[in-house]
Amino acid sequence: VQLQASGGGLVQAGGSLRLSCTASGRTANRFVMAWFRQAPGREREFVAAIRWNGAITYYADSVKGRFTISRDNDKNMGVLQMNSLKPEDTAVYYCAAQPSLITSSTYSAQNYHYWGQGTLVTVSS
């Protein structure tokens, strides 16, 4: 599976961005899809994840109520809608996918085998 992330950019605090992750090479319809981010000098951290049927989603506390993860399996695509952005959301955002994960494994980057190249999100104050 190849993942392609897009949609990053520069936005003012309080603004919105929509990130997309398109899968190719093999259908990712049954995969868990997730977003992680990494700010300079910091570890890669979990942002959000969604189960294959879209019925179950997971969010980091820092983004709950502001970010929404969704997917369109017909298009083999995942989306992260980011609203009310803050300067501390500035990071490179990566999409990731994995065929199957138990809930406790969903939050850790080391459990994902497939990764996109990252897209930079910069939020100015």
Side-chain angles (χ1 to χ4, degrees), residues 76-103:
N76 229 13
M77 185 173 73
V79 171
L80 184 69
Q81 177 66 42
M82 306 187 295
N83 299 328
S84 302
L85 282 161
K86 304 175 181 180
E88 50 264 44
D89 294 318
T90 295
V92 176
Y93 283 69
Y94 298 90
C95 61
Q98 185 65 21
S100 62
L101 288 170
I102 60 175
T103 298

Side-chain angles (χ1 to χ4, degrees), residues 5-113:
S6 62
L10 173 64
V11 64
Q12 287 189 328
S16 299
L17 280 175
R18 182 176 181 269
L19 304 184
S20 297
C21 179
T22 302
S24 62
R26 174 184 169 188
T27 181
N29 290 354
R30 295 285 177 167
F31 286 35
V32 173
M33 296 188 77
W35 290 90
F36 289 79
R37 66 187 182 187
Q38 187 165 19
R42 300 190 65 176
E43 302 252 334
R44 191 168 297 191
E45 65 173 3
F46 172 81
V47 176
I50 186 168
R51 290 268 168 205
W52 72 272
N53 60 1
I56 300 175
T57 57
Y58 309 87
Y59 293 95
D61 288 342
S62 59
V63 307
K64 277 181 184 175
R66 300 188 297 122
F67 291 11
T68 302
I69 190 171
S70 62
R71 67 190 296 163
D72 185 337
N73 286 338
D74 290 339
K75 296 180 180 178
N76 229 13
M77 185 173 73
V79 171
L80 184 69
Q81 177 66 42
M82 306 187 295
N83 299 328
S84 302
L85 282 161
K86 304 175 181 180
E88 50 264 44
D89 294 318
T90 295
V92 176
Y93 283 69
Y94 298 90
C95 61
Q98 185 65 21
S100 62
L101 288 170
I102 60 175
T103 298
S104 60
S105 299
T106 303
Y107 304 92
S108 178
Q110 67 182 9
N111 295 318
Y112 290 81
H113 181 72

